[in-house]
Amino acid sequence: MDLKQMGENLGLEPVEFADIVTLFVTTAESDIEKIRKGVLHKDALSVSEAAHSLKGSSGNLGFLQMSDVALTAEKKASENNLTGFEDMTRILTDHLNEIKTLLKQV
Amino acid sequence: MNSNNRLSILVVDDNPVNVKMLETCLAKEGYRVITALDGPSAREIVLREHPDLILLDIQMPEENGFDVIRSLKSKAATASIPVLFITGVSEIKAKLEGFELGAVDYITKPFETQEVIARVGLHLKLSIATNSLITSQAEKLKQITEAQVSLLTTPDQHPNANFGVHYIALQEAGGDFYEVLPITEEIYGYFIADFSGHDISTSYLTTSVKALLKQNCSPIYHPLESMKMINDVLVEILPAGKYLTANYVLLNRRKNQVTIISAGHPPVCYVPVDGAPELIELKGDVIGIFKDVLFGSKVIKVQKGDRLFLYTDGIIESLGQKIVWTEGAEKILTSCDAVRNVPIRQAPEAIFHHIRKGESPLEDDIVIVGFEI
């Protein structure tokens, strides 16, 4: 991932894009946490809503792998299927950690 | 648009990342961007700021985008603001529902910022062009109204007709009008009419009817013949479904008589100088629909000081108070009686104030014409 290039693709200056990604990290952490808690409490609706939010924001910024995983999570939760979420939240967290590392380099 | 001519855009999305991204991109294009994270805040901001365009996320907790647009489209002040929905790619049903509710376009998530900017620009241009057209049309209609008023016959033009008039054109290109025709020095025609519908064609048709009156209301024709000839021409030229109701009263001072012709119009009020007012109820077809028409007709002997009042239904009909003219006509009798001592030139206005008494706002054009023998 090249944050500078991703920002340019969106017509944004590096600083502008970094600001938005910083905000994304905060909301994504919150969304992942909501997914974890929702699975724990078998609350498929809140899992679906959090996954939907994450899918949109990550996709809009160009973090497409995260968006794909979030899409799968949203679909499964909307079908009331809360299996396989341990792996998905781990993958999402790994992607987010990678973004945080890249963000520090900007 | 604010005082700096910057177009304003309201971005509504429950995800702050999406909001921030759209805000940043659109602000770089020179737009003033306002943001809201939920439906209720969005509705409040729209009423306060009146943005030029709204980008609205559909899927939001509690109050979703559909609820928001439904509310906006139900209010006159916000109904014309273009709304672009932001939707997920698979939400076809949602897109269709959005269009049905009045959205002008949608943007699919994940969105490309250049596409967002292009669509926003396009719909702002369309909106500005539409608003400009509406303003231009309203201005033209206003000019037509002014022209209509300037063409009205005034008591000063025909002092021997001894009449007064109260005319209020509530709507642009209104459908109510009147004419006073000097046929000879001692014969005058008084005509009042109400066109169905209020649109730009009405004003042109009004002019046509006035020309027809001048051509066909002459001493050689009985007033029934005059109205019949005018009807036959209007049947040919009026658009489908367009018609007018009218009363035509011919006063012959030498004979001391009036001839009243009714074409589906509220009854003329006759106020004898020494008697109680009376509504001259006549049945008659409207003008402009059929060639074979039957108009109501009645001849009344009159004397000096008698008065007749012609009016359109706006003075007594009130949708707000659920009054129709058959019921409200009683008010005409009382009011015509009450203004006996008011000079005829001022009597129509006095009738208006007597009937309305500052009641609910007018819902239609109003014309009252009164003349004294």
Side-chain angles (χ1 to χ4, degrees), chain A residues 50-98:
Chain A
H52 175 83
S53 170
L54 186 56
K55 176 193 73 180
S57 56
S58 56
N60 286 335
L61 291 181
F63 302 126
L64 300 181
Q65 287 174 312
M66 270 190 98
S67 186
D68 285 345
V69 177
L71 171 64
T72 307
E74 184 190 5
K75 276 185 179 170
K76 289 188 81 168
S78 64
E79 291 161 2
N80 216 18
N81 178 358
L82 295 182
T83 61
F85 271 79
E86 200 174 317
D87 281 349
M88 282 191 282
T89 49
R90 184 180 47 75
I91 295 167
L92 289 171
T93 306
D94 287 349
H95 278 302
L96 193 59
N97 286 335
E98 189 185 350

Side-chain angles (χ1 to χ4, degrees), chain A residues 9-13 16 19-20 23-24 27 31 49 52-57 59-61 64 74, chain B residues 13-18 20-21 24-25 28 57 59 61 88 90-91 108-114:
Chain A
N9 292 343
L10 296 171
L12 297 170
E13 299 295 325
E16 291 170 337
D19 278 351
I20 296 172
L23 179 62
F24 167 73
T27 59
D31 287 336
E49 283 177 354
H52 175 83
S53 170
L54 186 56
K55 176 193 73 180
S57 56
N60 286 335
L61 291 181
L64 300 181
E74 184 190 5
Chain B
D13 195 317
D14 62 314
N15 189 313
V17 176
N18 297 344
K20 179 77 178 166
M21 192 170 150
T24 307
C25 294
K28 280 167 77 94
D57 186 25
Q59 197 168 330
S90 59
E91 299 164 17
T108 304
K109 284 193 285 190
F111 43 73
E112 295 289 335
T113 52
Q114 291 310 309

Side-chain angles (χ1 to χ4, degrees), chain B residues 10-15 19 22 34-43 46 54-58 60 65 68 86:
Chain B
L10 172 63
V11 176
V12 189
D13 195 317
D14 62 314
N15 189 313
V19 169
L22 289 168
I34 318 156
T35 61
L37 292 170
D38 56 61
S41 309
R43 285 188 289 105
V46 173
I54 301 168
L55 283 172
L56 180 62
D57 186 25
I58 292 181
M60 294 187 290
V68 175
I86 306 170

Side-chain angles (χ1 to χ4, degrees), chain A residues 1-15:
Chain A
M1 279 188 289
D2 181 348
L3 289 191
K4 187 167 177 271
Q5 185 59 50
M6 289 170 74
E8 279 178 14
N9 292 343
L10 296 171
L12 297 170
E13 299 295 325
V15 178

